[in-house]
Amino acid sequence: DVKVTQSSRYLVKRTGEKVFLECVQDMDHENMFWYRQDPGLGLRLIYFSYDVKMKEKGDIPEGYSVSREKKERFSLILESASTNQTSMYLCASSLAPGRGLSYEQYFGPGTRLTVT
Amino acid sequence: EDKVVQSPLSLVVHEGDTVTLNCSYEVTNFRSLLWYKQEKKAPTFLFMLTSSGIEKKSGRLSSILDKKELFSILNITATQTGDSAVYLCAVGSLSWKQGTSYGKLTFGQGTILTVHP
């Protein structure tokens, strides 16, 4: 059974704190993604990684960074949390092109982050 | 810039009704269109469509893609309260970075479906 897990379901942090969101997948997927989901805006891509130690900016990378030291783990970092980063954060993974249904992404349960 | 637009943004129906959700797109290097259902947790995969005019069905849900007109519809017949969810449309495209190809999804805003008993 495919599985993507995220370190926390709910998180409350203060403005200016450094925040780490962790994502782990057990499917040997090459690609991993971080999205944020806000009402009326759908899922917006923050960062993605198509290989270990590789990372690429998505559509809204400002205020975020990522780390992928191992294939199964992809971390999202908020260097200095701000209230406009209050959101639902979703991690996803997928196979590389040429290894099956590479466009189907498998999602974790999400982390609802509140920054006060 | 890739763009996916869903309509309506929200819909309220009663059990037994049939609903049609729409998704239009403008995406370069189109490869597939996916539908996901999201309740209060991770989005779960419903369908992936790659060819025009071929309907995919799963129980009361069905979907079809029109690659000429660049849209897809998701139909749900005989709706039930358990169908209440956000339905996400996403378009898969192929991109390249530093000589490596990867599959990217561009999502629409989602349609919030509420089914009343």
Side-chain angles (χ1 to χ4, degrees):
Chain A
D1 194 19
V2 297
K3 206 167 181 185
V4 179
T5 56
Q6 294 182 229
S7 50
S8 308
R9 290 300 304 275
Y10 300 93
L11 210 51
V12 180
K13 295 291 182 180
R14 292 188 184 276
T15 300
E17 279 193 89
K18 191 168 186 175
V19 182
F20 292 87
L21 303 182
E22 298 254 296
C23 175
V24 178
Q25 51 95 3
D26 66 359
M27 296 167 283
D28 198 35
H29 284 173
E30 288 81 8
N31 301 331
M32 295 188 76
F33 307 83
W34 275 106
Y35 296 91
R36 64 177 282 177
Q37 184 176 26
D38 300 288
L41 297 177
L43 272 70
R44 293 180 292 166
L45 182 64
I46 304 170
Y47 265 96
F48 63 96
S49 168
Y50 51 85
D51 201 354
V52 176
K53 294 193 188 290
M54 304 301 286
K55 56 188 179 185
E56 292 293 338
K57 293 179 180 178
D59 300 318
I60 51 163
E62 296 77 22
Y64 303 95
S65 63
V66 291
S67 171
R68 191 161 180 207
E69 297 296 318
K70 292 185 178 182
K71 189 176 186 180
E72 67 272 16
R73 190 178 297 269
F74 192 34
S75 302
L76 179 69
I77 302 152
L78 287 67
E79 295 290 342
S80 177
S82 64
T83 54
N84 64 12
Q85 291 178 312
T86 291
S87 187
M88 169 70 87
Y89 290 88
L90 288 163
C91 174
S93 70
S94 70
L95 289 167
R99 281 192 63 201
L101 295 174
S102 62
Y103 299 98
E104 181 181 349
Q105 293 182 11
Y106 295 83
F107 285 86
T111 296
R112 186 163 292 283
L113 173 67
T114 302
V115 183
T116 61
Chain B
E1 186 185 328
D2 295 342
K3 195 173 177 183
V4 179
V5 177
Q6 292 185 244
S7 64
L9 294 182
S10 66
L11 195 53
V12 180
V13 300
H14 287 93
E15 272 193 319
D17 289 349
T18 293
V19 298
T20 298
L21 310 183
N22 303 290
C23 177
S24 63
Y25 62 91
E26 294 176 28
V27 170
T28 52
N29 292 318
F30 172 92
R31 290 294 187 271
S32 59
L33 187 142
L34 293 84
W35 285 97
Y36 285 86
K37 177 183 181 182
Q38 185 182 23
E39 297 167 271
K40 293 192 184 298
K41 50 186 179 176
T44 54
F45 173 77
L46 293 174
F47 298 111
M48 184 165 73
L49 304 151
T50 55
S51 301
S52 268
I54 298 174
E55 186 183 52
K56 291 220 171 176
K57 286 196 76 163
S58 176
R60 296 174 295 101
L61 278 67
S62 63
S63 184
I64 198 160
L65 172 66
D66 185 328
K67 289 167 75 173
K68 184 179 175 187
E69 299 297 329
L70 308 183
F71 78 91
S72 173
I73 59 172
L74 175 68
N75 280 318
I76 309 175
T77 59
T79 52
Q80 302 171 356
T81 54
D83 295 327
S84 295
V86 177
Y87 289 84
L88 299 167
C89 172
V91 173
S93 57
L94 190 63
S95 296
W96 288 266
K97 286 279 185 181
Q98 300 177 18
T100 300
S101 62
Y102 63 92
K104 174 188 166 185
L105 287 182
T106 302
F107 283 85
Q109 319 95 302
T111 294
I112 303 171
L113 175 65
T114 305
V115 182
H116 288 310

